[in-house]
Amino acid sequence: MKENNQQLATLFRSMADLLSAQRANPYRVRAYRRAADALLAIEEDVATLVERQGLEEVDGIGADLAKKIEEFLETGTIRAYEELKTPLPAEVKSWASLPGLSESLVTYLYFRLGIRTLDDLDQITRSHLLRTLPSFSGSEERLLQAVQERIHAREP
């Protein structure tokens, strides 16, 4: 039964569409679409391929997508897809206008690192962890100043 292949292809296409709407890296978007096409072209159920460890032999499926397929087969969903579907809270989304932050970096901070408040953002910036992320493109000092201004602006 190739039902898993169809479900995964649908999920990957949906992920590609969501990533495209977020203006994510076009290569990443294309990778999901290519994987969806590859899954539909496979003659056997993808679960069979996973069992015999042949998934990465399929053209268009690398290690990262193979892990997502295995996650789907184990849990019935892909966490990254659920995160893409979940919109950021409006206040958090507005952080993308802060110096050095982009929407994709804010999404990463929120979903992957658990940064939920301006105080959290202030703390991670002061820890200098932010500068280690390749998508951070600003000055920590300017970001700290902007975060502090927002924190003080919301105080009564």
Side-chain angles (χ1 to χ4, degrees):
M1 183 81 151
K2 290 175 37 175
E3 186 176 323
N4 287 324
N5 301 34
Q6 182 63 49
Q7 288 177 322
L8 278 161
T10 301
L11 264 176
F12 282 171
R13 283 214 173 92
S14 184
M15 290 175 80
D17 292 344
L18 290 165
L19 287 166
S20 180
Q22 293 177 4
R23 296 188 311 255
N25 182 326
Y27 294 106
R28 188 170 174 218
V29 172
R30 201 168 323 145
Y32 279 104
R33 291 196 172 120
R34 189 169 173 217
D37 292 341
L39 285 164
L40 293 175
I42 297 172
E43 294 295 324
E44 60 190 322
D45 190 286
V46 71
T48 307
L49 271 176
V50 169
E51 283 176 29
R52 69 168 199 265
Q53 299 176 340
L55 195 52
E56 290 184 49
E57 295 168 14
V58 176
D59 192 32
I61 298 183
D64 185 55
L65 292 173
K67 286 179 188 161
K68 286 178 174 52
I69 291 168
E70 290 169 8
E71 178 185 359
F72 173 83
L73 293 172
E74 289 172 17
T75 67
T77 190
I78 299 172
R79 190 183 76 203
Y81 174 65
E82 297 304 321
E83 291 173 358
L84 281 171
K85 285 191 330 184
T86 306
L88 288 171
E91 180 189 351
V92 173
K93 195 171 190 170
S94 76
W95 297 353
S97 66
L98 292 169
L101 299 184
S102 64
E103 191 170 326
S104 62
L105 179 53
V106 169
T107 301
Y108 179 83
L109 292 171
Y110 185 82
F111 287 112
R112 295 290 179 171
L113 300 183
I115 306 302
R116 300 286 193 256
T117 65
L118 282 170
D119 291 327
D120 292 344
L121 183 57
D122 181 77
Q123 188 175 355
I124 195 172
T125 306
R126 287 181 192 281
S127 75
H128 304 295
L129 178 62
L130 210 50
R131 77 167 70 151
T132 67
L133 302 176
S135 51
F136 178 66
S137 63
S139 151
E140 288 177 331
E141 293 76 27
R142 288 185 58 221
L143 178 58
L144 279 170
Q145 182 180 359
V147 169
Q148 285 301 312
E149 287 170 7
R150 285 202 187 180
I151 288 172
H152 294 304
R154 69 173 189 208
E155 292 176 353

